[in-house]
Amino acid sequence: MNMHPVLRAVTERIRVRSRALRTAYLQRLAETRGRDRGSDRMGCANVAHAVAGIPANDKFRVVSERAPNIGIVTAYNDMLSAHAPYQGYPDIVKHEARRLGATAQVAGGVPAMCDGVTQGTPGMELSLFSRDVIAMSTAVALTHDMFDAALLLGVCDKIVPGLLIGALHFGHLPTVFVPAGPMPSGMSNSAKSKVREQAAQGLVGRQGLLDAEMQAYHTQGTCTFYGTANSNQMLLEAMGLHVPGTAFIQPGDAMRDELTREAVRTVLGRASEAAYTVPPIGEMVDERVIVNAMAALLATGGSTNHLIHWVAVARAAGILIDWNDFSELSDVVPLLTRVYPNGSADVNEFQAAGGPGFVIGELLGAGLMHGDVLTVRAGGIGEFANVPVLAGDPSQGAPLTWHAAAPSKNDAVARPASQPFSATGGLKLLSGNLGRSVIKVSSVPDDRHVIEAPARVFDSQAALQHAFTAGELERDVVCVVRWQGPRANGMPELHKLTPPLSVLQGKGFRVALVTDGRMSGASGRVPAAIHVSPEAAAGGPLAKVRDGDLIRLDAVAGTLTVLLPQDEWAVREPAALPDALRTANGFGLGRDLFAGMRRNALTAEEGACTWL
């Protein structure tokens, strides 16, 4: 395979940059792997405690037969539609493990909050930091240290990155991620967005808006737009950490339980006729695998949240990446899919067109993914260019098989690398006297890639919404929403701003958003410079911006600047985070418990990590 020179160069740069950190990580991993099994190494009382709660036959297998023992870490709760299906998974896993002569224990659970529930509320200010809480909870579960492998059950926004960070701190364990799949399609995402815009203008009342939302989010499974949750699943496929093709099989599909059983067979190396020793996850996830995930994100127009999360994930494996790496890859990785918010299709339509398998096959064929990486399957990453098929009733012994995902079944949703929707991945790094930020332009009209307009500065998203309702934004405007970074208030997503900004743009005004907060893919067709770093609360340039300053957001040139003379800008005093706002950010709904995380958080470009 002819590797694209930019992919090769970015990977090599990451490898060199990370050499010392990665070497130290692998040395620690080797030392841990060299120990005796847990039940042989640990004291008798420790072992007795570890097996006291499981059936007698399982105790015998763990202690006397030295059978493999799988640790299950689950994000199950029924507050999240995406995680509700996990309720019965442990029983499925345990049954299959016993059938194969192994055992499985639920090592622990991790918290999982729903951004859809907390959006626009104080609870959303805990969202980003919940990732690191999940990583620590994963460590608490696995630190019982009685496991020979791990299965991780989680889907949504912060849950998968948190589980992955935690797992990489136990990098000596073979690990497979087990998804639950998307909900069936309800009201289309574009129709839902129109109702939200009408509600923002007062044209639809609360009941009408509630009816629309209930039609869109209507049963178990992930939301069907291509946001962070579904991007997570795409990236795990591209990293070779799933059973191939399992990401977007719906919870009610007959194949779903069989794919969960296949995850057990996979982590035990029993997924093929020939025995296969699954590599430890810390060895698997190297710089090539991280680059593969980045390429898959760009090729599918995935969530900008991963410019934060995957920096943290890579760091957990001793690998250092930054936004320059994403930007350079975006210049050469073509956009192969149109899935909302980058198009009208949802993830179910994406799956029907070929799904992750199609994208992976196209990127491999174009030299835009590394094909020589370790995965949880004996056939390597090439297996992930396939889709699973169940030929009959699994209870009657019908086996899973895999067929090539290509060619695309719908060129309006998924296209080959030779005929992409765009020659680039649609992600741009912006830099200038306002700092460094990112913009996702894959869904923004070409004539909106450059916006130059006077600034209107807000200290909260509620203040912007109030100004919109009062009719104060009926003009060309760059809305600056500051004090939204990790240290200020935990860096919430600002999805509530999308409807009013979309309304303004729909009226013909040239508008943009500039913020040190997060927006994921929810900015839709409105240009949004997000994750501005350094954040205002850390003395970043956004703290200097005043109402009326002329701001230029140029996604073509890759710049974000306030158009003031350099000497005037240099001496302007930055505003300070208002004491009242700092106090409000620090208390209520558990926010005071996260004070240490806000204080210790690194920048967005450094992954907003709180554990370094």
Side-chain angles (χ1 to χ4, degrees):
M1 179 180 66
N2 294 321
M3 184 67 59
H4 194 287
V6 171
L7 190 89
R8 184 186 299 114
V10 170
T11 305
E12 178 62 15
R13 185 173 68 214
I14 294 170
R15 188 189 67 80
V16 172
R17 182 195 301 147
S18 308
R19 182 183 289 123
L21 200 63
R22 178 69 174 169
T23 299
Y25 173 83
L26 291 175
Q27 287 175 344
R28 291 192 298 271
L29 187 155
E31 290 169 2
T32 306
R33 285 192 70 197
R35 305 172 305 161
D36 292 336
R37 290 184 73 252
S39 60
D40 295 335
R41 179 184 70 252
M42 299 173 75
C44 295
N46 305 78
V47 175
H49 275 84
V51 299
I54 64 177
N57 286 344
D58 286 352
K59 293 181 186 181
F60 180 77
R61 283 180 172 175
V62 171
V63 178
S64 300
E65 293 187 347
R66 293 175 170 79
N69 188 30
I70 301 168
I72 304 168
V73 181
T74 177
Y76 164 73
N77 67 49
D78 58 12
M79 175 58 69
L80 278 74
S81 62
H83 290 73
Y86 282 133
Q87 183 175 19
Y89 276 38
D91 288 339
I92 296 171
V93 169
K94 291 175 183 179
H95 182 273
E96 185 66 11
R98 291 186 185 113
R99 191 184 71 80
L100 297 172
T103 57
Q105 293 178 278
V106 175
V110 302
M113 65 180 291
C114 179
D115 289 359
V117 174
T118 59
Q119 194 63 242
T121 74
M124 186 65 197
E125 295 174 13
L126 308 186
S127 174
L128 176 60
F129 291 151
S130 76
R131 180 199 70 196
D132 290 5
V133 173
I134 291 162
M136 291 186 285
S137 300
T138 303
V140 170
L142 294 178
T143 203
H144 291 108
D145 209 17
M146 284 283 293
F147 308 113
D148 303 290
L151 292 178
L152 303 186
L153 282 53
V155 178
C156 283
D157 297 14
K158 266 61 62 184
I159 293 88
V160 165
L163 288 169
L164 187 47
I165 290 167
L168 287 168
H169 282 83
F170 286 77
H172 61 287
L173 292 175
T175 301
V176 173
F177 280 74
V178 186
M183 67 177 65
S185 302
M187 172 180 275
S188 73
N189 289 297
S190 56
K192 174 192 67 182
S193 295
K194 288 179 182 177
V195 175
R196 287 179 175 178
E197 290 178 24
Q198 290 172 334
Q201 300 173 81
L203 303 176
V204 170
R206 179 177 175 82
Q207 188 59 51
L209 179 59
L210 181 60
D211 289 344
E213 299 287 0
M214 295 284 277
Q215 291 175 49
Y217 308 111
H218 59 98
T219 190
Q220 292 187 0
T222 60
C223 309
T224 59
F225 63 90
Y226 194 60
T228 311
N230 290 318
S231 298
N232 280 336
Q233 304 312 304
M234 179 71 231
L235 269 59
L236 289 175
E237 295 265 346
M239 296 172 79
L241 293 174
H242 271 172
V243 170
T246 193
F248 299 133
I249 305 299
Q250 293 177 4
D253 193 289
M255 202 181 336
R256 186 77 264 174
D257 287 353
E258 188 59 24
L259 286 167
T260 300
R261 287 186 279 270
E262 182 73 3
V264 181
R265 297 190 284 268
T266 296
V267 82
L268 293 174
R270 304 278 291 278
S272 61
E273 293 182 6
Y276 174 60
T277 301
V278 180
I281 188 172
E283 290 184 10
M284 282 180 49
V285 179
D286 62 10
E287 65 278 355
R288 297 168 301 169
V289 168
I290 292 294
V291 168
N292 282 356
M294 296 162 74
L297 178 75
L298 295 165
T300 55
S303 170
T304 53
N305 277 327
H306 291 307
L307 274 77
I308 300 173
H309 293 323
W310 247 249
V311 173
V313 166
R315 182 62 177 78
I319 299 165
L320 300 173
I321 61 174
D322 60 31
W323 291 348
N324 289 331
D325 301 325
F326 280 99
S327 182
E328 290 184 31
L329 289 172
S330 183
D331 288 342
V332 299
V333 174
L335 184 67
L336 303 183
T337 67
R338 283 288 189 196
V339 187
Y340 188 87
N342 302 309
S344 60
D346 65 16
V347 293
N348 293 312
E349 293 172 275
F350 173 41
Q351 176 68 13
F358 172 77
V359 173
I360 291 169
E362 289 299 310
L363 291 176
L364 285 170
L368 290 167
M369 280 183 69
H370 294 276
D372 57 343
V373 295
L374 296 172
T375 75
V376 299
R377 304 285 283 200
I381 197 64
E383 284 200 45
F384 291 80
N386 299 319
V387 293
V389 177
L390 189 59
D393 186 349
S395 66
Q396 303 300 315
L400 279 169
T401 59
W402 278 263
H403 299 169
S408 171
K409 312 305 182 292
N410 185 345
D411 284 346
V413 178
R415 289 186 184 174
S418 59
Q419 297 175 300
F421 291 100
S422 169
T424 69
L427 179 77
K428 284 286 188 178
L429 171 65
L430 305 178
S431 59
N433 59 10
L434 286 177
R436 284 164 65 87
S437 65
V438 293
I439 182 172
K440 182 177 176 180
V441 294
S442 53
S443 61
V444 176
D446 290 347
D447 66 347
R448 301 282 167 159
H449 287 189
V450 179
I451 300 291
E452 185 176 307
R456 176 71 187 271
V457 181
F458 300 96
D459 287 347
S460 69
Q461 58 180 326
L464 189 155
Q465 290 174 303
H466 178 77
F468 170 79
T469 303
E472 298 172 7
L473 301 179
E474 301 279 322
R475 54 187 171 82
D476 291 354
V477 62
V478 173
C479 293
V480 175
V481 184
R482 61 191 182 188
W483 318 124
Q484 304 301 310
R487 292 195 175 188
N489 65 350
M491 203 178 188
E493 287 186 338
L494 307 177
H495 288 190
K496 294 286 187 180
L497 302 184
T498 301
L501 293 175
S502 297
V503 169
L504 293 172
Q505 182 166 278
K507 291 182 176 182
F509 298 118
R510 300 188 64 78
V511 298
L513 174 69
V514 175
T515 180
D516 46 11
R518 293 184 295 130
M519 200 69 174
S520 183
S523 57
R525 298 171 64 82
V526 177
I530 58 177
H531 307 173
V532 175
S533 184
E535 64 176 285
L542 280 191
K544 291 184 174 186
V545 180
R546 296 174 183 169
D547 285 344
D549 286 346
L550 193 62
I551 290 179
R552 181 177 177 87
L553 186 163
D554 189 337
V556 178
T559 58
L560 179 66
T561 53
V562 58
L563 302 180
L564 286 173
Q566 184 175 350
D567 54 351
E568 180 182 344
W569 181 247
V571 299
R572 180 181 285 185
E573 287 292 321
L577 176 62
D579 289 339
L581 188 58
R582 186 186 300 276
T583 300
N585 290 344
F587 294 93
L589 295 179
R591 285 178 289 179
D592 44 327
L593 293 172
F594 288 73
M597 288 187 161
R598 289 191 295 273
R599 186 166 54 248
N600 294 326
L602 300 182
T603 68
E605 188 167 6
E606 295 171 299
C609 295
T610 63
W611 41 270
L612 291 174

